[in-house]
Amino acid sequence: MRSAPTILHLDMDAFYASAEQAAKPSLRGKAVVVGGLGPRGVVATASYEARLFGVHSAMPMGQARRLAPNAAYLVPRFGLYREISEQVMGLLRELSPLVEPLSLDEAFVDLEAGGVADDEASARAVGERLRADIKAVTALTGSVGLAVSKMLAKIASEQAKPDGLVLIAPGTERALLGPMPVRTLPGVGPATGDHLRRAGITTVEEIAEAGEDELVRLLGKAHGVSLYAMALAHDERPVVAERDTKSVSVEDTYDVDIHDRVRVRAEVARLADRCVRRLRAAGHSGRTIVLKVRRFDFSTLTRSETLRGPTDDPGVVREAAARLLESVDTTGGVRLLGVGVTGLADYTQEDLFAQAAEAAAEPAGEAAEPVVGEAVIGPETEPAEAPETPVERRWAAGHDVRHAEYGHGWVQGSGLGRVTVRFETPQSPPGRVRTFRTDDPKLEPAEPLPLVGGE
């Protein structure tokens, strides 16, 4: 391991919720919960104000509402989060060519490889400057950990939350790790933690005291050897620059199972278009179209079709997804649908019309996802074409709108043919609330405004 704390771990603070608070002045300092709002929804992120009530990520949304009934509950705006993430990752890449993103809001950086730090003082100065730059560019805060290894840098950033910086000085690692619970170490989940607890091991120090042979006996060679090394603060994993994306996909879970075949087709077409937008935004095209269907009984099926060449044509992807759907029996109801593209490339084969026609004449390929209890699929007997029904305008809580008279705002809620909008921007004071018909022609969906600058 290196001798200076030049591995940096950045973790944005309550990222989705903080972005929503920055965008919506009326929510600053208040409990905000972001996630799926239906009965099957789960919490993606909770603001620190909401966490005081016990709300946390991955919690069922119904439980969150019982704990914090007066919080603001919002549907995620992933387009905005990705834009902010790109700004943050750009700042990290200015520091080093070795940036390893773990998610939209989290990454490792090798400062030594960038030549910007070689000791404690310079590493701390870089970390503080990074935090200031992130605040200036995004209006959000991030917590920074600095250490000689990835494991320790991540532990340090957890200790720094929220909006702080912690540097673990070389030589102090064992003393710091010793009293921490075993779950602190990477790879120790609930099952491994319970297994160690039954053996009388509850802290990192007790892992080190148990010895490598005992850990191998308890957990197997690979896991036991790795865990013992980490308990001694040994972590040789390098920071690896981000890997190429292997697939692009989107999916939606529905609050109520969809039984109407026409609605299922419409949802698949909508998901295909969303998938292509994300594909194009990433500068990719792909050869294999994948359809995912989770049915009423939780059985999950995937169907795939490989084209002759890569495409980013929405019509081709829609048609392929529709053909794949024809091989799936959805009469019992559908709770989740997804469309994805794999086999990515950085170029597009222009003439795909003939290939699409060829594929339509051939049976769709399939790759059943290995899910316990999957039912056998029978032939689909419904006609391929059915008249389309108008899709009702949906106003998702938290999403942006623009009114011809009142300007930019966001949806506070909707139902019974009405939509309530609060008109404010990231730079305005808390705004006024007005209610409209859901079909009001003066009200339209809008793109998010920048958190810094803009209107």
Side-chain angles (χ1 to χ4, degrees):
M1 289 199 304
R2 60 191 69 193
S3 59
T6 52
I7 291 183
L8 180 148
H9 181 260
L10 170 73
D11 197 355
M12 299 295 287
D13 299 320
F15 182 46
Y16 299 168
S18 293
E20 297 299 344
Q21 289 175 317
K24 302 172 172 65
S26 58
L27 297 184
R28 293 170 191 170
K30 298 182 180 179
V32 174
V33 180
V34 180
L37 302 190
R40 294 171 180 162
V42 297
V43 175
T45 307
S47 69
Y48 287 100
E49 296 85 354
R51 295 179 192 188
L52 295 176
F53 294 94
V55 180
H56 57 77
S57 60
M59 172 182 284
M61 192 60 77
Q63 183 181 355
R65 288 185 183 275
R66 289 191 294 273
L67 291 172
N70 296 319
Y73 288 87
L74 308 177
V75 175
R77 296 187 295 163
F78 288 112
L80 172 65
Y81 309 150
R82 279 192 291 272
E83 288 180 11
I84 300 171
S85 175
E86 288 171 4
Q87 292 176 308
V88 172
M89 297 301 166
L91 292 174
L92 299 183
R93 293 186 186 98
E94 292 177 6
L95 300 177
S96 174
L98 292 184
V99 176
E100 182 177 345
L102 304 179
S103 62
L104 288 177
D105 61 334
E106 185 180 2
F108 288 110
V109 185
D110 188 333
L111 302 180
E112 188 176 291
V116 294
D118 57 9
D119 58 16
E120 291 184 36
S122 57
R124 185 181 294 277
V126 169
E128 293 291 7
R129 187 171 68 249
L130 173 65
R131 293 177 57 239
D133 289 346
I134 289 172
K135 185 68 178 291
V137 171
T138 70
L140 305 181
T141 63
S143 295
V144 168
L146 291 156
V148 299
S149 71
K150 291 168 69 172
M151 176 187 74
L152 293 165
K154 185 171 175 62
I155 290 172
S157 70
E158 284 295 320
Q159 292 185 324
K161 283 187 167 294
D163 190 20
L165 180 149
V166 168
L167 182 149
I168 299 177
T172 67
E173 298 92 350
R174 288 286 302 276
L176 175 76
L177 284 176
M180 290 184 172
V182 295
R183 291 284 303 276
T184 302
L185 300 180
V188 181
T192 301
D194 287 344
H195 196 53
L196 291 170
R197 180 180 51 79
R198 288 194 296 270
I201 300 172
T202 60
T203 67
V204 175
E205 185 176 14
E206 288 169 346
I207 291 177
E209 291 173 349
E212 185 175 278
D213 291 344
E214 176 64 7
L215 291 170
V216 168
R217 186 186 68 81
L218 288 171
L219 305 174
K221 184 170 184 180
H223 200 180
V225 170
S226 171
L227 197 58
Y228 180 66
M230 288 189 290
L232 298 179
H234 295 162
D235 178 18
E236 300 290 349
R237 294 174 299 159
V239 176
V240 180
E242 63 180 305
R243 301 172 179 84
D244 292 336
T245 303
K246 295 182 179 179
S247 65
V248 172
S249 64
V250 297
E251 62 181 43
D252 277 344
T253 300
Y254 302 99
D255 297 339
V256 178
D257 291 348
I258 302 176
H259 293 83
D260 181 1
R261 185 71 173 185
V262 174
R263 167 84 188 283
V264 172
R265 289 195 188 98
E267 289 294 316
V268 168
R270 182 179 62 83
L271 289 166
D273 288 343
R274 273 177 54 197
C275 183
V276 169
R277 287 197 296 271
R278 185 173 295 183
L279 188 72
R280 287 179 167 179
H284 291 304
S285 59
R287 296 185 66 237
T288 301
I289 315 303
V290 180
L291 175 72
K292 177 179 178 181
V293 180
R294 180 166 297 146
R295 301 185 297 181
F296 71 99
D297 58 357
F298 287 88
S299 61
T300 304
L301 311 175
T302 61
R303 296 289 182 268
S304 64
E305 176 180 312
T306 299
L307 308 174
R308 290 195 308 168
T311 184
D312 64 354
D313 186 308
V316 173
V317 176
R318 271 198 309 270
E319 291 169 12
R323 288 193 296 274
L324 294 170
L325 178 63
E326 293 308 306
S327 70
V328 179
D329 180 4
T330 62
T331 53
V334 170
R335 60 186 293 120
L336 177 148
L337 290 168
V339 173
V341 178
T342 65
L344 301 188
D346 295 325
Y347 64 93
T348 303
Q349 182 167 317
E350 298 296 338
D351 184 10
L352 286 170
F353 297 104
Q355 118 182 351
E358 277 181 26
E362 298 174 359
E366 61 181 65
E369 185 175 340
V371 175
V372 175
E374 182 174 339
V376 176
I377 305 296
E380 179 58 61
T381 57
E382 251 186 303
E385 298 296 331
E388 291 192 7
T389 57
V391 179
E392 182 182 356
R393 295 176 83 183
R394 295 187 294 180
W395 303 100
H399 281 216
D400 298 84
V401 295
R402 180 170 291 278
H403 192 273
E405 294 179 25
Y406 302 111
H408 191 93
W410 58 276
V411 176
Q412 280 202 324
S414 63
L416 301 177
R418 300 285 176 179
V419 54
T420 301
V421 177
R422 185 180 288 273
F423 290 97
E424 60 186 5
T425 71
Q427 286 74 44
S428 76
R432 295 188 62 181
V433 176
R434 299 181 184 275
T435 299
F436 308 91
R437 298 193 322 271
T438 54
D439 60 353
D440 190 321
K442 295 183 179 180
L443 189 67
E444 295 291 341
E447 292 298 315
L449 297 177
L451 301 185
V452 176
E455 291 189 7

